[in-house]
Amino acid sequence: FADAANIIEAAQILNISQPLLSNHLKALEDDLGIELFEFVGRKKILTARGQELHALIKSQLGHLGTELRQTLVKQTQSQALKI
């Protein structure tokens, strides 16, 4: 949702309904015990805590992706050496 223009677009990207996405976001807020989104007028935006969490998750997923690529390269190289 943070990278989409709005919650409807985010739901379309995820290929789920907007109400389902809204329910999941509310459940996430409840589980974490923090408010991730707030309304500014009619627009729903990330709170400061939501922005912090978004940046952290994006960073961690980037690191995970790097680790996975490195592991796959090592596995491919070790398999290529076995003749």
Side-chain angles (χ1 to χ4, degrees):
F1 175 59
D3 293 329
N6 55 52
I7 196 163
I8 294 170
E9 182 182 320
Q12 289 171 343
I13 290 168
L14 296 169
N15 200 30
I16 62 173
S17 70
Q18 179 272 317
L20 180 61
L21 179 55
S22 293
N23 290 341
H24 283 299
L25 293 173
K26 179 65 179 137
L28 179 61
E29 287 181 323
D30 291 344
D31 287 347
L32 296 174
I34 59 173
E35 194 172 282
L36 299 172
F37 300 94
E38 63 186 344
F39 281 98
V40 174
R42 294 180 58 193
K43 187 171 181 159
K44 198 170 192 177
I45 63 168
L46 284 170
T47 62
R49 300 280 306 273
Q51 290 173 10
E52 290 171 15
L53 183 60
H54 177 256
L56 176 65
I57 289 170
K58 213 170 179 180
S59 171
Q60 294 301 315
L61 286 175
H63 293 306
L64 179 60
T66 299
E67 292 294 323
L68 286 172
R69 281 188 295 281
Q70 289 174 352
T71 300
L72 289 173
V73 167
K74 287 177 185 175
Q75 286 177 348
T76 302
Q77 289 171 346
S78 69
Q79 289 174 356
L81 295 175
K82 295 178 183 177
I83 299 176

